[in-house]
Amino acid sequence: MQRIEQHASFDGSQEVWSHDSATLDCTMNFGVYLPPQAKQGPCPVLYWLSGLTCTEQNFITKAGAQQYAAEHGIVVIAPDTSPRGENVADDEAYDLGQGAGFYLNATREPWAKHYRMYDYVTRELPALVAEHFPVTDARSIFGHSMGGHGALVIALKNPGMFRSVSAFAPIVAPTRVPWGEKAFSAYLGDNREAWKAWDACELIAQASEKLPLRIDQGEADPFLAEQLRPQWLEDACARAGHPCDVRLRPGHDHSYYFIASYMGEHFAHHAAALKG
């Protein structure tokens, strides 16, 4: 563990740490915001998962999260979106390879050696956070686009691990949209039944925990009709009797301008669960 950035922010500290990941077999960075309350004792943790092409930097520099984390006394963890390095498999396209880990465990070569973001986010990273930072065992998770997909799937596959979950413009049914079909074919192979284990709409039907799903979606999002399809999640939740709150935001696109506009509402949502 090595701290490579530290910036004072809202009486707390925005940091970036680097470590050698045993799960991903490469060096990984992740952002950590320590609110001022962390100086007095352990705080609850909120995990953020970013979207395609992003690193930890997009969120920590553009989302405006630090002021809300400081207000509510929440530690925020923002990992990278994929394994990185010269020896890590990659692709020239933006939606496959480095920057496009899709928060799953790849089973197909050449991806299987490194692309295990699910295990990284659910096992290795929480263990590192618990060991090195002043945190309680209260956790929540949220994300954007590919990271929204990751947050929903990880919460649904790990009942009891998180107090709350939310997403901005998530890919809710990756088994049925171009982004997901391309990535899943590469990472998992051609067995579409195996894909369902990484699809929020499929997991809803068998969810043992009815954790409410909070979604914000911009109506001017250029990816809404082809890649995101939040109505599919609403339909799946209605069939399963799973609580789901999808809020369509007029005029908003897929950018961090949209995310920053509603970041405060998401922090309030998670703070209520983390401290309840």
Side-chain angles (χ1 to χ4, degrees):
M1 288 279 288
Q2 179 183 4
R3 187 171 60 196
I4 58 176
E5 286 187 36
Q6 183 178 25
H7 311 279
S9 182
F10 293 92
D11 295 324
S13 180
Q14 177 62 62
E15 303 175 0
V16 177
W17 287 75
S18 175
H19 73 105
D20 292 330
S21 169
T23 302
L24 305 178
D25 193 21
C26 68
T27 299
M28 289 292 287
N29 294 345
F30 62 92
V32 182
Y33 179 72
L34 298 172
Q37 295 87 339
K39 299 171 187 174
Q40 309 302 321
C43 296
V45 189
L46 180 56
Y47 287 84
W48 169 269
L49 304 182
S50 291
L52 289 167
T53 76
C54 291
T55 69
E56 79 287 340
Q57 292 293 326
N58 300 74
F59 176 76
I60 67 175
T61 60
K62 296 180 180 180
Q66 291 85 356
Q67 61 180 316
Y68 304 113
E71 176 186 343
H72 294 289
I74 296 173
V75 172
V76 183
I77 306 296
D80 201 347
T81 52
S82 78
R84 304 274 181 178
E86 292 183 2
N87 297 322
V88 176
D90 199 7
D91 190 273
E92 292 182 357
Y94 76 94
D95 53 358
L96 186 66
Q98 296 187 34
F102 267 85
Y103 304 101
L104 48 70
N105 289 336
T107 57
R108 191 180 185 190
E109 297 300 338
W111 314 101
K113 180 180 179 181
H114 299 282
Y115 283 76
R116 304 188 62 83
M117 286 298 294
Y118 175 80
D119 281 354
Y120 178 72
V121 171
T122 60
R123 298 179 186 178
E124 184 176 14
L125 185 58
L128 282 174
V129 170
E131 179 181 358
H132 293 280
F133 302 102
V135 298
T136 69
D137 60 1
R139 307 183 193 94
S140 291
I141 191 167
F142 66 155
H144 169 234
S145 195
M146 178 187 70
H149 142 76
L152 295 173
V153 166
I154 286 171
L156 289 166
K157 288 172 74 73
N158 294 275
M161 185 174 182
F162 301 98
R163 301 277 184 91
S164 54
V165 58
S166 70
F168 292 86
I171 306 169
V172 302
T175 60
R176 292 183 278 165
V177 300
W179 275 339
E181 290 175 325
K182 177 178 180 178
F184 285 14
S185 294
Y187 298 146
L188 304 173
D190 297 328
N191 182 1
R192 286 180 172 260
E193 282 300 310
W195 295 7
K196 292 180 180 180
W198 308 102
D199 185 305
C201 287
E202 297 289 343
L203 293 170
I204 285 291
Q206 55 195 5
S208 61
E209 180 184 42
K210 302 293 187 182
L211 201 63
L213 308 183
R214 162 70 190 270
I215 310 295
D216 274 278
Q217 173 63 60
E219 289 187 329
D221 190 322
F223 305 113
L224 177 58
E226 184 179 26
Q227 306 281 11
L228 306 178
R229 308 298 291 268
Q231 68 273 19
W232 287 351
L233 183 65
E234 289 182 291
D235 292 343
C237 287
R239 290 192 298 269
H242 197 111
C244 181
D245 180 14
V246 176
R247 305 184 183 194
L248 298 177
R249 303 298 190 174
H252 283 282
D253 56 22
H254 201 69
S255 71
Y256 268 85
Y257 296 108
F258 159 58
I259 293 168
S261 297
Y262 301 102
M263 184 57 59
E265 293 186 19
H266 281 247
F267 263 89
H269 167 76
H270 293 297
L274 288 167
K275 300 178 180 181

